[in-house]
Amino acid sequence: MLLKKLVLTSCLGLLLPVAHAITMQHHGMTMDEKGMIMNENTNNLPKDCPKIAGEVNLTIRAGHKHAKKFNGKMFAFDQQKWDVAGCSRINITFINDDHIRHQLMIHGLPGYLYSDGMFTMEIYGPGEKKASLIVPSDPKTYLVHCEVPQHMEKGMKAQLKVAGGDGDLPSIPGVSAPVKADSYVMAWNIQAWVSLLLAILVGFAGLWGLNKLKK
Ligand SMILES: [Cu+2]
């Protein structure tokens, strides 16, 4: 009897995590081997919206290559700002162009529809996921970012303006000035001057050498 119980428990113990990993769906979260979606909302209207004002289809890409246009940045979304009307249903196709994990998180949404005020999509590697959300009517600028450590600081930050928004958020690449700008101030001490003079001399020596070779 005890043996039977033990075998049964261990079998369940082995199978449950597998079943759980294939598709997990609770607390407004769906999860599979490709990624995760949290707090998707396709139908529940915000209190201030009598009906859905319209459908907005957004394709948002994430990856290293999208940061190339920003000096000193490492990761970015392909766009840094979006404007939508209040009470829109936003249907997002999120594409990860990298071989690492990226997220698309929208903050500041009403807590009665989105727990912790957040909508999250996450993809563990190259691939895409689709999910929708419905935004309230009031003019507000929502923070959109990737919460993988250091990804926002390295450029994965954007903004979603609803009904015109309420201003620009700081440190959005290509949109607004950073709160703490990176400093590249040169300290012109004796070592710096010597290095510069040496570099010039080496350059001239190289040119002189090339001229000699040509002759
Ligand atoms: Cu990321």
Side-chain angles (χ1 to χ4, degrees):
M1 189 64 193
L2 185 70
L3 188 70
K4 208 174 163 189
K5 218 173 178 178
L6 267 174
V7 171
L8 202 72
T9 324
S10 43
C11 278
L12 267 176
L14 284 172
L15 285 173
L16 271 177
V18 175
H20 213 55
I22 292 167
T23 310
M24 227 163 77
Q25 192 159 9
H26 61 96
H27 302 306
M29 180 163 89
T30 55
M31 203 176 189
D32 60 21
E33 74 287 357
K34 272 183 153 182
M36 181 268 284
I37 292 166
M38 210 175 352
N39 294 339
E40 178 172 34
N41 173 25
T42 48
N43 292 312
N44 297 319
L45 287 171
K47 284 174 189 167
D48 49 332
C49 295
K51 63 184 179 81
I52 288 168
E55 305 282 339
V56 178
N57 299 317
L58 295 181
T59 298
I60 302 173
R61 306 186 79 103
H64 176 60
K65 68 179 179 188
H66 306 296
K68 281 188 182 148
K69 56 186 178 289
F70 304 119
N71 286 338
K73 296 298 180 199
M74 183 65 90
F75 302 112
F77 298 113
D78 62 335
Q79 299 152 76
Q80 280 61 47
K81 52 180 180 169
W82 301 273
D83 278 275
V84 303
C87 302
S88 292
R89 175 159 48 210
I90 310 175
N91 309 305
I92 300 177
T93 303
F94 182 43
I95 301 171
N96 185 351
D97 288 319
D98 281 348
H99 285 265
I100 56 164
R101 191 159 66 98
H102 282 306
Q103 296 170 332
L104 178 102
M105 289 183 93
I106 305 177
H107 287 267
L109 293 158
Y112 60 87
L113 282 179
Y114 305 88
S115 64
D116 293 321
M118 288 187 313
F119 165 88
T120 308
M121 298 176 82
E122 176 169 332
I123 311 178
Y124 307 140
E128 73 169 64
K129 280 202 166 283
K130 289 173 189 283
S132 302
L133 74 154
I134 304 169
V135 290
S137 67
D138 48 327
K140 185 171 170 174
T141 307
Y142 294 85
L143 167 67
V144 182
H145 76 134
C146 173
E147 212 171 59
V148 173
Q150 288 296 314
H151 283 200
M152 178 166 76
E153 291 75 6
K154 289 185 159 73
M156 251 184 174
K157 190 175 179 188
Q159 65 185 23
L160 169 70
K161 282 186 177 179
V162 172
D166 58 353
D168 287 328
L169 298 175
S171 310
I172 306 283
V175 175
S176 54
V179 174
K180 284 185 194 163
D182 291 333
S183 169
Y184 300 102
V185 175
M186 185 69 201
W188 283 108
N189 50 25
I190 188 78
Q191 287 98 326
W193 281 109
V194 170
S195 308
L196 178 65
L197 284 172
L198 270 175
I200 292 170
L201 279 175
V202 168
F204 275 118
L207 282 174
W208 179 79
L210 273 175
N211 263 333
K212 275 266 168 192
L213 277 175
K214 272 185 194 164
K215 281 173 189 168

